[in-house]
Amino acid sequence: MGQGMNEATNRSAESAVLSVRNVSMNFGGLRALSEVDLDVRPGEVVALIGPNGAGKTTFFNCITGIYTPTGGEVTAYPRTGKPKRPEGIRINGMRTNLVCELGMARTFQNIRLFPSMTALENVMIGRHCRTKTGILGAVLRGAATRREEQEVVDKSFEMLTKVGLEKLANEYARNLPYGAQRRLEIARALATEPFLLLLDEPAAGMNPQETEELKQMVIRIREEFKVSVLLIEHDMKMVMSLSDRIYVMEYGRIISTGTPKQVGEDPQVIRAYLGEDSDA
Amino acid sequence: MAQANPIQHPTQHVIQHVKQAFVAAIWLAFLTLPIMVIRVDTVEKTVTWRWMNLAYMALGSFVLALAWYCMMERRDQSQARKDLETVERDSALSRFLSDPRFAKPLMAFGLLVAAGFPWFFSMYQTNILVSALIYVVLGLGLNITVGLAGLLDLGYVAFYAVGAYTYALLNHHFQLGFWTVLPLGAVLGAFFGILLGFPVLRLRGDYLAIVTLGFGQIIRLVLENWSAFSFGPSGISNIDRPGLFGITYSVEQATTYMYYIMLALVLLTIFVTARLKDSRIGRAWLALREDEIACQAMGIDNTRAKLMAFSLGATLAALMGVVFAAKTTFINPASFTFMESAMILAIVVLGGMGSVLGVILGAFLLMLLPEYLRAFSEYRMLIFGFTMVLIMVFRPQGLVRAKRKVYKINVEQAG
Ligand SMILES: Nc1ncnc2c1ncn2[C@@H]1O[C@H](COP(=O)(O)OP(=O)(O)O)[C@@H](O)[C@H]1O
Ligand SMILES: [Mg+2]
């Protein structure tokens, strides 16, 4: 472990929006994550990189409540939302939907949209946890319900505009081209008003031009919505130019962390990426 | 380009199909040889060889198999065409029904006919229609659980039984009237829906289907065997018909009255389900059906959504149970077998999962056709099964494909 890493974690602990300490995850005998430390600060774009099978997606699943970590602490410090708790909220083991409601929204490596719903409706699902019409309200459709519904439509359409899908609003998600599906997932996550956006390989399967557009989009979104972004990505060009800090994971451990420049020069990282031989 | 199948010459296909059908026919003839051809008379101690049957068998199966293969090919071709198009085309039926120019007058006409039905048709016809309307509501109820929320419930009839026995027992022991028990039955249905919902929250697909199937059987077995409570297989008779401000009326008038009660309940159910479908709750159900993990990750409380779907479906079933008991004035457990659940599910699947209009059509088709097919009563189930298989193969989305709402967005205001 590099010297820089400990310094970074100590300095950032008090100003983080997400702080992960010592998180481990075992699947039976397989140790997919071991003692992972990671911080995301307000407005930061943090990248998590590493070879396939390193445990990156598992890490996302652990901090979004899909898995309960075997050990360690995951703490969120929501900047948005009503209950501002300076001591933070412990989220390991919290139900997935509550984590989302708290303000951490994610996308999936293998796209998980709602295929038989329209693009707009997919985004409207993201508004679910910010609205409250119940069965009775939906049946009676009073003034309050109609107002809320209109708000949901307007806001969702706005999100579609942000990712450039406004023309495809009424298309079924299953009929969208691949790149559009990826962007739709981002719009859906944004609709939940997150303080932290978790993107799992958003550029996977995109061509260089699409990747560049995606990068510009992430930059715009960060500025406009004041969100922090935690990004898993294989496209090194995108990672290096987009992220403020990078964590490198291998075999479930963080082997290096720092600015893109620091990480790029770390011999450990070079070895992990180029194989054992290059060390000699 | 020998390996590129789509550009094969059409006659080549036909020859291939003939070959396939021929093989199928030979096989079937061979397999059915012992039952179709050989007849052993144990009294006379003779064996008759009916070779003609073999020829009929082979010829019949050859024709059917050939027709089948040709139809399958047509289906695959239209499927391939559909995959190439981004714009989905609907069936002529659903296009016709969704066109406001036709839909509006059709709906008005339907309502007019419905309103005047008992005055123009016999009591017998009205009675059949009341039964069909009951299944419309049952179908719409199950459509919430299965069609919208994607929770395959094979024990739906249990909630129907809960409603029916609630009215029958309360009427028998305490002389409570129909209108008093109707809301009570609904509440009890919702309660049972949640009761079943809780233990199966974590189950999906096949597992859920099996547990709900078991639940349906348990309720029926309890009703059959706990005689002190439910009067066992002999059931409960002399259940009161719905009260009408204390006026006594004839059986014929009772049918008319029942018809209007059912018509009102159907309209209410259509109203409720149509509104729910495109609401915050309906969208949550759909998301749950489409991808449970993504649904929860986007902030929807899966537990709540599932329980709501279960209990709302159960409420409608229990309501219908009360109506059913009041209509027939006699109930016993035989009315609540798995066959009923399967029938209601068939209505939903045939009509089109998630489509309100489709489910209504499905209910009428499945309930009215058998009534008027009584002439072929021996083959009813055979025809029924055959039709279901054909529909599942050639129109898996049902008669009417469920459509999502198209939102008109005021661009100037939103953008
Ligand atoms: N639910 C699971 N059960 C068992 N093993 C799992 C499970 N999820 C992930 N793994 C294992 O954990 C390791 C890390 O996987 P993953 O997090 O998907 O890697 P990455 O996203 O970095 O490519 C892999 O070896 C994978 O097989
Ligand atoms: Mg992964």
Side-chain angles (χ1 to χ4, degrees):
Chain A
M1 310 244 168
Q3 192 63 35
M5 182 182 156
N6 287 330
E7 268 171 45
T9 43
N10 289 340
R11 234 187 309 112
S12 64
E14 68 276 7
S15 64
V17 288
L18 175 74
S19 144
V20 179
R21 288 289 168 273
N22 251 329
V23 160
S24 299
M25 181 76 209
N26 299 340
F27 293 112
L30 179 84
R31 198 163 177 81
L33 293 176
S34 74
E35 290 148 22
V36 174
D37 284 343
L38 184 147
D39 286 289
V40 182
R41 296 177 216 139
E44 234 183 359
V45 175
V46 176
L48 178 60
I49 63 171
N52 274 325
K56 305 179 298 295
T57 300
T58 305
F59 179 75
F60 265 26
N61 287 339
C62 281
I63 61 176
T64 53
I66 290 183
Y67 300 148
T68 306
T70 324
E73 291 293 319
V74 184
T75 318
Y77 303 86
R79 303 284 141 149
T80 52
K82 263 119 249 172
K84 274 216 180 67
R85 283 198 256 165
E87 78 278 10
I89 300 166
R90 187 170 181 269
I91 54 174
N92 33 337
M94 203 184 217
R95 292 167 53 98
T96 310
N97 56 307
L98 296 180
V99 174
C100 178
E101 207 174 315
L102 202 64
M104 291 170 56
R106 69 173 290 179
T107 66
F108 294 88
Q109 180 177 348
N110 39 354
I111 303 173
R112 301 191 85 130
L113 289 165
F114 309 117
S116 328
M117 299 172 83
T118 62
L120 185 70
E121 281 181 320
N122 267 272
V123 183
M124 286 163 86
I125 288 294
R127 298 299 303 157
H128 187 96
C129 60
R130 302 289 171 231
T131 46
K132 49 185 190 300
T133 302
I135 288 189
L136 206 62
V139 171
L140 298 179
R141 202 177 276 179
T145 307
R146 267 173 303 174
R147 203 177 319 115
E148 188 181 89
E149 190 72 8
Q150 190 57 48
E151 214 177 277
V152 168
V153 173
D154 292 345
K155 194 111 182 175
S156 303
F157 188 74
E158 191 193 324
M159 293 305 149
L160 279 180
T161 319
K162 301 288 181 210
V163 299
L165 289 178
E166 65 277 10
K167 290 208 176 63
L168 300 173
N170 283 314
E171 287 293 327
Y172 286 99
R174 60 167 178 262
N175 293 341
L176 296 183
Y178 183 81
Q181 293 198 0
R182 287 234 172 257
R183 280 180 286 151
L184 180 55
E185 261 205 331
I186 297 178
R188 185 179 66 177
L190 274 180
T192 65
E193 297 174 18
F195 64 83
L196 176 60
L197 195 57
L198 305 156
L199 306 177
D200 196 344
E201 302 198 15
M206 287 188 174
N207 62 33
Q209 193 207 330
E210 283 174 319
T211 309
E212 179 58 30
E213 281 168 15
L214 179 75
K215 192 182 109 186
Q216 297 306 330
M217 200 177 90
V218 173
I219 293 171
R220 269 203 321 274
I221 285 171
R222 188 219 346 217
E223 287 305 312
E224 190 168 344
F225 296 92
K226 306 272 178 277
V227 288
S228 311
V229 179
L230 179 55
L231 170 82
I232 296 177
E233 190 44 70
H234 282 303
D235 188 304
M236 274 316 188
K237 195 165 147 256
M238 175 169 171
V239 168
M240 288 294 175
S241 56
L242 183 61
S243 30
D244 299 308
R245 284 184 309 121
I246 297 178
Y247 288 83
V248 187
M249 187 179 267
E250 191 191 19
Y251 297 122
R253 292 175 186 281
I254 301 292
I255 57 165
S256 175
T257 175
T259 61
K261 191 162 174 297
Q262 285 170 333
V263 166
E265 287 163 358
D266 188 334
Q268 291 239 45
V269 177
I270 295 168
R271 198 188 54 200
Y273 268 80
L274 300 179
E276 299 289 335
D277 303 62
S278 64
D279 202 25
Chain B
M1 285 267 153
Q3 73 273 36
N5 246 337
I7 346 179
Q8 244 179 19
H9 200 268
T11 51
Q12 229 169 324
H13 275 261
V14 175
I15 291 168
Q16 199 187 342
H17 292 328
V18 169
K19 268 191 210 154
Q20 281 173 315
F22 188 70
V23 172
I26 298 275
W27 255 114
L28 209 67
F30 178 70
L31 286 176
T32 52
L33 190 85
I35 35 171
M36 296 302 289
V37 178
I38 307 168
R39 185 203 255 141
V40 181
D41 194 326
T42 45
V43 181
E44 302 275 312
K45 293 207 168 47
T46 54
V47 177
T48 348
W49 298 81
R50 297 165 299 172
W51 290 111
M52 273 321 276
N53 279 358
L54 186 74
Y56 293 144
M57 192 70 212
L59 197 69
S61 50
F62 177 75
V63 170
L64 281 180
L66 191 62
W68 174 260
Y69 285 127
C70 290
M71 265 154 78
M72 285 302 271
E73 189 188 326
R74 274 194 52 189
R75 184 190 80 137
D76 289 343
Q77 275 173 357
S78 66
Q79 194 66 44
R81 255 204 314 278
K82 231 178 267 164
D83 287 346
L84 291 177
E85 291 169 8
T86 45
V87 185
E88 282 174 30
R89 287 193 321 185
D90 298 305
S91 69
L93 178 67
S94 50
R95 249 179 306 162
F96 173 70
L97 289 171
S98 60
D99 188 336
R101 270 178 309 167
F102 300 113
K104 283 261 165 64
L106 204 69
M107 220 145 76
F109 178 72
L111 267 179
L112 215 68
V113 171
F117 193 89
W119 309 105
F120 301 119
F121 292 89
S122 69
M123 186 179 116
Y124 171 72
Q125 307 284 357
T126 311
N127 231 331
I128 292 175
L129 196 58
V130 172
S131 297
L133 291 180
I134 289 180
Y135 279 90
V136 168
V137 175
L138 286 172
L140 288 173
L142 189 62
N143 185 42
I144 293 176
T145 329
V146 179
L148 294 180
L151 305 162
L152 185 49
D153 181 355
L154 291 184
Y156 190 61
V157 75
F159 305 123
Y160 188 37
V162 165
Y165 271 86
T166 303
Y167 179 45
L169 289 172
L170 287 179
N171 185 254
H172 182 87
H173 293 297
F174 306 107
Q175 284 75 49
L176 290 186
F178 174 81
W179 294 108
T180 323
V181 181
L182 200 62
L184 265 179
V187 170
L188 219 65
F191 172 73
F192 269 83
I194 292 174
L195 201 71
L196 170 66
F198 260 114
V200 301
L201 277 175
R202 292 177 175 282
L203 304 178
R204 264 198 81 69
D206 316 353
Y207 301 100
L208 178 67
I210 289 168
V211 173
T212 50
L213 179 72
F215 180 75
Q217 296 301 315
I218 289 170
I219 295 259
R220 188 179 57 82
L221 286 172
V222 166
L223 292 177
E224 248 168 31
N225 294 303
W226 190 6
S227 300
F229 168 72
S230 67
F231 301 95
S234 53
I236 304 167
S237 48
N238 286 327
I239 303 166
D240 287 338
R241 292 179 194 282
L244 181 64
F245 311 112
I247 303 168
T248 48
Y249 46 74
S250 68
V251 175
E252 191 154 337
Q253 284 164 327
T255 308
T256 310
Y257 185 33
M258 206 67 231
Y259 173 80
Y260 283 113
I261 293 174
M262 249 340 279
L263 193 62
L265 285 174
V266 165
L267 291 178
L268 183 73
T269 312
I270 293 175
F271 177 75
V272 168
T273 42
R275 281 222 159 158
L276 279 177
K277 198 170 143 253
D278 287 313
S279 72
R280 174 175 176 266
I281 306 294
R283 285 191 299 269
W285 283 335
L286 234 64
L288 187 71
R289 178 188 83 186
E290 302 279 287
D291 189 325
E292 199 166 327
I293 289 178
C295 171
Q296 195 167 16
M298 291 336 287
I300 290 172
D301 188 343
N302 282 10
T303 309
R304 264 181 77 99
K306 280 186 193 181
L307 288 181
M308 269 196 240
F310 260 120
S311 60
L312 203 64
T315 304
L316 288 174
L319 272 180
M320 285 309 102
V322 175
V323 172
F324 175 73
K327 170 182 175 273
T328 54
T329 70
F330 164 76
I331 56 165
N332 70 351
S335 306
F336 309 105
T337 58
F338 170 67
M339 213 32 231
E340 290 299 296
S341 285
M343 201 60 148
I344 303 167
L345 187 66
I347 287 173
V348 176
V349 175
L350 174 89
M353 297 233 260
S355 159
V356 173
L357 185 66
V359 171
I360 297 169
L361 283 182
F364 278 125
L365 209 67
L366 283 191
M367 286 302 115
L368 296 183
L369 269 192
E371 281 306 327
Y372 297 109
L373 280 179
R374 283 215 183 271
F376 314 96
S377 57
E378 307 224 327
Y379 303 102
R380 250 166 59 174
M381 283 330 276
L382 201 68
I383 297 174
F384 177 71
F386 192 65
T387 326
M388 284 306 283
V389 170
L390 282 184
I391 286 178
M392 282 306 92
V393 172
F394 294 103
R395 248 197 107 63
Q397 70 273 43
L399 293 176
V400 183
R401 182 200 281 276
K403 273 205 174 164
R404 296 308 302 163
K405 184 172 171 174
V406 173
Y407 289 89
K408 284 196 205 68
I409 288 121
N410 188 345
V411 180
E412 278 139 79
Q413 172 213 340

